[in-house]
Amino acid sequence: MKKISYTYWKEKDGMYLGYLINYPDHWTQGEDIEDLKTHLADLFDLFESEEIIGIKQVAEMEVA
């Protein structure tokens, strides 16, 4: 099992929106927080299993 970071918020209509920190351009939603986490996990599995052209990612590097 791998831990992944995500950002989420609740909208006025009661839906939860969120995205994976490493893939900030790709939002998803859920009816509750658990539903949102399921959708985020599906996105993570897709992005990690396939090389999809054009997906922006966040990364870190060290500089001297």
Side-chain angles (χ1 to χ4, degrees):
M1 183 172 282
K2 185 173 185 176
K3 287 188 178 186
I4 55 175
S5 297
Y6 64 97
T7 296
Y8 76 96
W9 59 97
K10 188 173 183 179
E11 290 287 303
K12 289 181 182 180
D13 64 1
M15 295 294 288
Y16 287 81
L17 275 69
Y19 60 88
L20 302 169
I21 297 298
N22 287 349
Y23 304 97
D25 289 341
H26 303 278
W27 295 9
T28 189
Q29 64 182 11
E31 293 181 9
D32 55 39
I33 194 70
E34 291 305 316
D35 188 37
L36 174 63
K37 288 163 105 177
T38 299
H39 292 289
L40 289 169
D42 290 343
L43 279 179
F44 179 80
D45 290 342
L46 174 66
F47 295 158
E48 293 292 308
S49 68
E50 299 180 25
E51 184 174 332
I52 303 172
I53 304 300
I55 290 185
K56 297 176 187 174
Q57 297 182 41
V58 175
E60 291 182 0
M61 65 180 193
E62 290 186 30
V63 294

